[in-house]
Amino acid sequence: MTPDDPDEHLLAEAEKIAIAIGRMFPGLCEVVLHDLRRPEHAIRAIENNLSGRQVGDSATELGLRRIADPDYPSVIQNYPNQFPDGRPVKSTSIGIKNAQGRYVAALCLNLDVSNLSPLTLVLANLVATEVEHREEALETLQNRTARELREFIEKFAAERAATPRSLGRTAKKDLVRQLHRDGYFATRGSTEAIADLLGISRSTVYNYAKQS
């Protein structure tokens, strides 16, 4: 193989990628570059070695299938696999063709998921919420703005084909209760703003809110 061999150039570039990816996920993802031109000694580079294989080891079954069939899928993604010691693996195999359409290499990623499964369970438990409250907004973790307050009141009235001031007593009472439950009373000057928008006194606003 001469230095200007285009197939060799492909392998050399793929080797850089294999090393970079492996070093990005130390202890977690094994990256293997197979030279499919030499199936009996296919492994050209192995970064972050988790399977115990060595440079110069033979091609896997996927490699042999690609050598035998140029139409074999270029990418086999996220398939279940296993390391020799039994650890579960999530693998992806990427075939690399030369300009003539012949497979000359394969880049394989083997993600060790044995440590991730317990972590997934921990994270699922950590973010889980109580079933009985999932459909209910118990609180809003933000400060309501004066603009949001006005928009809420105007929308409430518009849905009833009215203006805020023309709402009936019952509707105004329901509106104030809703504003109180949704945290709008935490806005500075909210009581005065609500009273002004609805055309009622501040004491009436307080009375309605107490009944929520």
Side-chain angles (χ1 to χ4, degrees):
M1 291 178 288
T2 60
D4 58 351
D5 179 355
D7 290 353
E8 179 60 25
H9 177 74
L10 280 176
L11 268 292
E13 293 300 302
E15 187 170 350
K16 296 177 186 177
I17 296 172
I19 293 172
I21 295 175
R23 291 181 181 177
M24 187 173 181
F25 301 101
L28 189 61
C29 184
E30 175 186 82
V31 185
V32 185
L33 177 63
H34 296 269
D35 183 346
L36 299 184
R37 302 169 302 174
R38 305 167 60 242
E40 293 182 358
H41 305 283
I43 295 184
R44 172 170 174 144
I46 182 165
E47 186 67 28
N48 202 21
N49 192 331
L50 298 174
S51 65
R53 291 174 294 172
Q54 302 297 325
V55 170
D57 283 355
S58 61
T60 64
E61 294 87 347
L62 277 180
L64 297 177
R65 289 171 190 163
R66 288 195 172 107
I67 293 171
D69 182 8
D71 294 326
Y72 195 81
S74 294
V75 178
I76 308 294
Q77 187 136 26
N78 297 334
Y79 59 92
N81 212 335
Q82 191 176 66
F83 285 134
D85 61 5
R87 282 174 294 164
V89 177
K90 177 180 175 181
S91 295
T92 290
S93 177
I94 306 165
I96 301 172
K97 291 182 177 180
N98 62 12
Q100 289 72 46
R102 179 170 57 88
Y103 282 115
V104 295
L107 184 63
C108 300
L109 288 71
N110 301 310
L111 182 69
D112 182 356
V113 297
S114 61
N115 292 323
L116 295 180
S117 297
L119 179 59
T120 300
L121 180 59
V122 170
L123 291 176
N125 290 332
L126 184 63
V127 302
T129 56
E130 292 295 333
V131 175
E132 62 181 300
H133 298 307
R134 278 181 192 163
E135 304 302 322
E136 178 185 359
L138 296 181
E139 62 179 340
T140 301
L141 302 180
Q142 65 178 30
N143 289 324
R144 299 292 189 177
T145 67
R147 179 179 177 181
E148 288 177 320
L149 174 62
R150 175 181 290 274
E151 289 177 348
F152 187 97
I153 292 175
E154 290 177 346
K155 180 181 178 182
F156 182 95
E159 289 173 347
R160 291 157 179 78
T163 63
R165 284 179 173 252
S166 68
L167 287 169
R169 180 175 180 274
T170 300
K172 288 181 180 179
K173 183 182 295 186
D174 291 340
L175 172 57
V176 172
R177 290 173 177 173
Q178 185 64 51
L179 291 170
H180 187 264
R181 286 194 296 269
D182 288 356
Y184 283 94
F185 275 72
T187 303
R188 179 179 296 179
S190 60
T191 304
E192 291 82 355
I194 294 169
D196 181 61
L197 287 167
L198 297 183
I200 57 179
S201 67
R202 284 184 292 174
S203 60
T204 300
V205 172
Y206 282 125
N207 287 334
Y208 287 170
K210 290 179 182 178
Q211 299 172 26
S212 61

